[in-house]
Amino acid sequence: SQQGEEDPQALSIQEGENATMNCSYKTSINNLQWYRQNSGRGLVHLILIRSNEREKHSGRLRVTLDTSKKSSSLLITASRAADTASYFCATDARAGGTSYGKLTFGQGTILTVHP
Amino acid sequence: NAGVMQNPRHLVRRRGQEARLRCSPMKGHSHVYWYRQLPEEGLKFMVYLQKENIIDESGMPKERFSAEFPKEGPSILRIQQVVRGDSAAYFCASSPRGIVGEQFFGPGTRLTVL
């Protein structure tokens, strides 16, 4: 599997439900970020979690990071139709102690929230 | 503070022509990254530049692709003799520093090669 691989590939839920997306990666990282992409648009940064953090919150978003399992999850609570988008995790890999901020993206999870 | 600007937003080229994609980073940002997104896929890193320097071009195809970020003006991604497989969305991102931080993405340039 690739660095930064999300699952599920697609998720369909009703408005008000919670959505959970998972991301796995292979190498040691400095940080992991989640981005949202609306169809045909650019990426919007959602949240960054550093390798020494285990959990982070931002509004309706909750991100966890388990470096021992090399995995992260993004939880969106009380989803809205406007949350419909593709969600990508991106890792900033650590190589020999240096990082250029070069991000490695997963394939993404397509979230559809039905009103 | 304007965000990352990319132009053109859409570019159509015939096979064999050249494509020039421009990226103006956010004000105060001196680090630029280019990514390519093929249909139904995630973004793939291409190149990382600072002003007048290519820092990491490990994701760039060896031939036909080049990038620059001059002292003045936008960063340019240049694709010579385009082929159909070059059709993709090309995104530019900038950051104020090249380590451990959020990258701000532009809206992308969608290249279609006929």
Side-chain angles (χ1 to χ4, degrees):
Chain A
S1 61
Q2 297 180 19
Q3 178 84 346
E5 191 169 284
E6 292 95 337
D7 85 274
Q9 289 187 314
L11 182 59
S12 182
I13 59 175
Q14 294 296 128
E15 217 169 23
E17 294 180 339
N18 295 342
T20 299
M21 288 159 271
N22 302 297
C23 168
S24 61
Y25 58 91
K26 289 196 159 188
T27 65
S28 296
I29 60 171
N30 288 306
N31 64 65
L32 184 145
Q33 305 181 44
W34 286 90
Y35 286 84
R36 183 184 73 215
Q37 184 180 36
N38 289 88
S39 180
R41 308 287 290 274
L43 276 78
V44 174
H45 183 265
L46 295 177
I47 198 164
L48 180 154
I49 186 165
R50 301 189 191 286
S51 60
N52 61 353
E53 297 176 311
R54 292 295 165 259
E55 187 171 311
K56 205 160 182 180
H57 298 255
S58 176
R60 294 184 294 114
L61 306 180
R62 173 178 168 249
V63 168
T64 62
L65 179 65
D66 186 335
T67 52
S68 67
K69 293 181 180 176
K70 290 187 167 59
S71 67
S72 173
S73 67
L74 170 67
L75 169 67
I76 304 174
T77 60
S79 64
R80 304 166 182 167
D83 294 330
T84 295
S86 293
Y87 291 81
F88 295 92
C89 71
T91 51
D92 179 1
R94 178 181 302 158
T98 59
S99 167
Y100 296 135
K102 163 181 141 181
L103 298 178
T104 300
F105 285 82
Q107 300 283 76
T109 292
I110 300 171
L111 174 65
T112 304
V113 181
H114 300 279
Chain B
N1 188 5
V4 178
M5 312 273 284
Q6 287 189 252
N7 69 81
R9 294 290 304 276
H10 299 273
L11 182 61
V12 179
R13 284 286 178 266
R14 297 192 180 279
R15 280 179 297 169
Q17 291 184 318
E18 179 179 287
R20 278 182 178 246
L21 289 62
R22 294 175 188 77
C23 168
S24 296
M26 287 182 70
K27 188 176 180 180
H29 289 192
S30 58
H31 300 258
V32 166
Y33 306 81
W34 285 93
Y35 296 85
R36 176 165 65 175
Q37 184 178 33
L38 296 171
E40 311 299 326
E41 292 190 12
L43 280 71
K44 297 285 193 294
F45 168 80
M46 299 182 75
V47 62
Y48 161 49
L49 310 105
Q50 294 180 26
K51 287 278 186 183
E52 300 183 281
N53 281 304
I54 297 173
I55 307 301
D56 182 349
E57 56 181 346
S58 58
M60 289 272 274
K62 294 287 184 281
E63 297 175 350
R64 302 187 297 107
F65 285 71
S66 62
E68 62 176 7
F69 188 16
K71 188 176 180 181
E72 301 291 337
S75 174
I76 307 285
L77 179 67
R78 182 181 176 210
I79 312 172
Q80 295 178 291
Q81 299 175 331
V82 295
V83 301
R84 290 219 172 104
D86 296 333
S87 294
Y90 292 82
F91 291 95
C92 164
S94 74
S95 72
R97 58 191 184 283
I99 56 172
V100 192
E102 175 186 348
Q103 293 182 16
F104 296 82
F105 280 80
T109 292
R110 275 149 188 83
L111 172 66
T112 301
V113 179
L114 301 177

